[in-house]
Amino acid sequence: MEAAAEPGNLAGVRHIILVLSGKGGVGKSTISTELALALRHAGKKVGILDVDLCGPSIPRMLQVQGKAVHQCDSGWVPVFVDQEQSISLMSVGFLLEKPDEAVVWRGPKKNALIKQFVSDVAWGQLDYLVVDTPPGTSDEHMAVVDTLRPYSPLGALVVTTPQAVSVGDVRRELTFCKKVGLRVIGVVENMSGFVCPHCAECTNVFSRGGGEELARHAGVPFLGSVPLDPELTRSLEEGRDFIRGFPESPAFPALSCIAQKILNEAPVGLS
Amino acid sequence: MEEVPHDCPGVGSAQAGRGASCQGCPNQGLCASGAGAAPDPAIEEIKEKMKTVKHKILVLSGKGGVGKSTFSAHLAHGLAEDENTQVALLDIDICGPSIPKIMGLEGEQFLEDNLGVMSVGFLLSSPDDAVIWRGPKKNGMIKQFLRDVDWGEVDYLIVDTPPGTSDEHLSAVQYLAAAHIDGAVIITTPQEVSLQDVRKEISFCHKVKLPVIGVVENMSGFICPKCQKETQIFPPTTGGAEVMCHDLKVPLLGKVPLDPRIGKSCDKGQSFLVEAPDSPATLAYRSIIQRIQEFCSLHQPKGENLVGS
């Protein structure tokens, strides 16, 4: 267990938010990315720490795949995704020699890199640090919670899809949060229905209702349902700013609501 | 073995204990003595146990949420429709064991006479219980599942895995090393965000010399139940699995469209193949299952591993 840490590289970070799910493929990286973009639009400086070592999705979502990571006196310099340097990102994706190279590591080696990502990245001054995680309740999650504990994270956004198979795993993630003393900011239900672009019929592709029921069962806030929107998927594929590009999208209100919740809970004064 | 140097060459490697990065590691002496390189006796024990298992198939994906467990369950259902075929489904997703729910099992091990299921989910007393285990403990569980479960005479053992390329995957391949795995079926969805992880999984298979039976593209187009028009909810911006398979020279076993009844069947623990026999998704599943059976029968293991043929 880390002793009460000297502030070091996280000294300038105001608020830390983890994005978790027990289940894979529910949209953790999507929500992390969209939250970062929405916070940027609210004028905030945001960092994203991608600790999914086997499946690092975020570099591509922000169109910075293949960028190199440089060193400075304080450690690694995170990759800035824009000219204004309002969003910075660290991911194992940047450290791979080839993009298709598999990171086939057992737990201890993963833990070591995650500890480095937390303490050896020169984040500088940030309003928010969003930590995207892989699915599960294992090495990566324990490592990141333990290493961040001295910095008192704001809490966790827990993402699910509506169907029972997802909720079944995410319930366990909520137990994990309780066990490690990580506050749950709220539950987000993603892929909540699809509106056919041809006839406007809404179909519950992945069932319905699970996220809200889960939040109620666990006694945590329900932050909203984000519907399926192929434009959102496409934006992430192409590294485009969905928040700026698609304010009319059915996904936009829920994503804005999540960002607003964070801004209300953890306000940052005039920077 | 918690504190491991960042560039640990691996406890089983020839450099174990001898590499530059080993200096100062608490396990240096142990590795240098060669103790870490000795094979685990469980590997031989598992080889013996697996002699009554004809075909072993791993279901993998680099990416989460693409439908591995859904596919594994329906592969099992499909194969077990022939009552003369003995099928076993092993769920080694220790943190997120979905198979009990998808198979409609609450604490039971057998579904029909010829279909057996094992998952850590059966060992948990509450649906809220979290399995917060580090790698070594997960590996121990997987070893137990393979070595200590009495599988009996089985035609097909299907192993459902969690997403990624880590402990569970290494352990499954390692423990089954002497027992001949027929190959891996790799699941993806059409979009690049999935494919970029799946390419890594295929690279993993090549690294550990695991044959790739083929790739299944799931959630491949959505047919609106009202107007019957198709939309790509997960657009194949870089050509989908078809282009990836062509580039990496692996077979594309088939594409399964998104049918909302699949999710519902999984939630209720029923076989989608039975619930919606006319769905294009069912037809796709059946065709893929047939191709997998063909692969397995063409690639029979030689010698003493073959039981009853």
Side-chain angles (χ1 to χ4, degrees):
Chain A
M1 181 83 135
E2 303 284 333
E6 29 180 285
N9 277 320
L10 290 175
V13 176
R14 296 291 302 275
H15 299 293
I16 300 172
I17 300 152
L18 278 72
V19 181
L20 303 173
S21 179
K23 185 88 183 66
V26 297
K28 288 176 291 307
S29 299
T30 300
I31 297 293
S32 299
T33 301
E34 299 309 323
L35 174 60
L37 291 168
L39 291 171
R40 173 175 72 181
H41 283 292
K44 307 302 175 195
K45 277 198 78 170
V46 188
I48 308 176
L49 173 57
D50 176 5
V51 299
D52 188 341
L53 304 183
C54 298
S57 307
I58 307 224
R60 194 189 169 89
M61 290 179 174
L62 291 166
Q63 212 174 35
V64 286
Q65 65 273 35
K67 292 264 194 281
V69 166
H70 304 288
Q71 298 268 2
C72 68
D73 286 341
S74 323
W76 281 318
V77 180
V79 171
F80 291 105
V81 312
D82 55 349
Q83 295 273 42
E84 302 81 30
Q85 301 194 342
S86 50
I87 297 185
S88 53
L89 168 63
M90 180 50 78
S91 166
V92 79
F94 299 130
L95 307 178
L96 301 173
E97 281 178 16
K98 285 177 282 195
D100 296 343
E101 192 184 321
V103 173
V104 185
W105 293 354
R106 289 193 184 273
K109 201 163 172 180
K110 292 196 281 187
N111 295 344
L113 184 60
I114 289 171
K115 287 188 178 128
Q116 272 195 275
F117 272 175
V118 171
S119 47
D120 294 350
V121 173
W123 294 106
Q125 300 296 321
L126 288 180
D127 297 315
Y128 300 95
L129 177 64
V130 178
V131 182
D132 184 31
T133 63
T137 49
S138 188
D139 292 273
E140 297 90 329
H141 312 85
M142 287 189 262
V144 87
V145 167
D146 279 345
T147 323
L148 286 174
R149 197 186 301 277
Y151 306 100
S152 304
L154 183 67
L157 286 180
V158 178
V159 185
T160 186
T161 52
Q163 78 234 82
V165 169
S166 281
V167 168
D169 285 348
V170 180
R171 292 172 75 156
R172 307 187 197 281
E173 195 76 17
L174 290 170
T175 303
F176 168 81
C177 291
K178 206 184 283 194
K179 280 204 163 154
V180 300
L182 182 62
R183 178 181 158 244
V184 175
I185 301 170
V187 168
V188 174
E189 183 184 270
N190 203 11
M191 306 199 198
S192 252
F194 175 67
V195 177
C196 175
H198 305 284
C199 70
E201 165 90 349
C202 182
T203 309
N204 293 313
V205 182
F206 299 113
S207 302
R208 60 168 294 166
E212 203 158 352
E213 176 56 39
L214 175 67
R216 193 171 28 241
H217 166 84
V220 298
F222 180 63
L223 298 184
S225 307
V226 182
L228 280 162
D229 181 357
E231 292 300 343
L232 174 58
T233 320
R234 202 178 286 275
S235 294
L236 293 158
E237 293 277 282
E238 294 165 1
R240 285 192 276 129
D241 184 339
F242 175 78
I243 301 287
R244 188 184 355 237
F246 298 94
E248 306 289 307
S249 157
F252 184 84
L255 291 170
S256 306
C257 176
I258 295 162
Q260 197 55 53
K261 169 90 182 176
I262 302 290
L263 290 164
N264 292 345
E265 282 228 359
V268 177
L270 295 169
S271 337
Chain B
M1 261 197 77
E2 292 303 341
E3 291 306 318
V4 173
H6 175 49
D7 295 313
C8 168
V11 297
S13 93
Q15 282 301 303
R18 298 183 178 86
S21 46
C22 300
Q23 302 304 321
C25 172
N27 294 300
Q28 189 182 10
L30 195 65
C31 287
S33 72
D40 189 329
I43 294 176
E44 270 304 307
E45 291 168 324
I46 291 169
K47 177 184 173 182
E48 279 306 304
K49 252 305 167 45
M50 288 289 146
K51 281 190 167 162
T52 55
V53 178
K54 273 199 203 138
H55 299 291
K56 301 155 210 79
I57 299 163
L58 263 60
V59 180
L60 303 173
S61 180
K63 186 85 184 70
V66 296
K68 288 177 291 309
S69 298
T70 303
F71 182 78
S72 300
H74 288 91
L75 175 59
H77 276 306
L79 292 168
E81 279 175 2
D82 172 7
E83 53 191 38
N84 294 320
T85 304
Q86 297 295 322
V87 183
L89 176 55
L90 171 59
D91 175 9
I92 61 169
D93 188 342
I94 311 283
C95 296
S98 305
I99 293 286
K101 177 171 281 296
I102 295 177
M103 300 298 284
L105 296 171
E106 306 287 1
E108 286 165 46
Q109 202 174 335
F110 279 85
L111 201 58
E112 288 126 39
D113 283 341
N114 65 335
L115 176 50
V117 182
M118 188 40 127
S119 166
V120 82
F122 295 131
L123 309 177
L124 302 172
S125 41
S126 153
D128 292 317
D129 281 349
V131 181
I132 309 174
W133 291 356
R134 292 187 187 278
K137 203 161 173 184
K138 292 194 283 187
N139 300 336
M141 181 96 263
I142 292 168
K143 188 194 308 198
Q144 266 197 281
F145 277 157
L146 290 170
R147 186 189 57 195
D148 300 342
V149 170
D150 186 14
W151 294 103
E153 302 270 342
V154 171
D155 293 292
Y156 294 95
L157 171 64
I158 301 159
V159 182
D160 183 34
T161 64
T165 50
S166 189
D167 288 274
E168 297 88 334
H169 314 86
L170 284 167
S171 294
V173 169
Q174 195 175 35
Y175 290 132
L176 286 169
H180 179 75
I181 305 174
D182 291 64
V185 175
I186 304 192
I187 315 290
T188 186
T189 48
Q191 77 268 46
E192 177 59 25
V193 158
S194 288
L195 297 174
Q196 72 180 7
D197 287 351
V198 170
R199 288 192 198 96
K200 294 184 206 290
E201 197 73 20
I202 295 174
S203 159
F204 165 80
C205 290
H206 292 328
K207 250 187 188 168
V208 299
K209 300 194 184 11
L210 179 58
V212 175
I213 301 175
V215 172
V216 174
E217 184 183 86
N218 214 3
M219 307 195 203
S220 203
F222 170 72
I223 310 268
C224 175
K226 186 170 180 208
C227 70
Q228 305 301 316
K229 293 213 170 75
E230 187 182 16
T231 314
Q232 295 283 0
I233 297 186
F234 301 109
T237 53
T238 56
E242 205 155 344
V243 170
M244 180 190 70
C245 287
H246 176 264
D247 290 346
L248 297 180
K249 299 184 183 26
V250 294
L252 176 62
L253 294 174
K255 300 194 206 182
V256 185
L258 245 183
D259 185 327
R261 293 173 291 175
I262 300 177
K264 287 204 179 69
S265 293
C266 289
D267 280 358
K268 290 191 289 183
Q270 288 158 343
S271 168
F272 172 74
L273 307 176
V274 167
E275 293 291 294
D278 299 322
S279 163
T282 299
L283 301 174
Y285 271 138
R286 290 201 184 284
S287 158
I288 291 166
I289 292 171
Q290 188 165 357
R291 288 189 66 176
I292 293 171
Q293 283 176 290
E294 283 163 7
F295 179 93
C296 289
S297 60
L298 282 176
H299 294 81
Q300 298 276 21
K302 299 181 186 44
E304 82 274 82
N305 279 346
L306 209 50
V307 175
S309 310

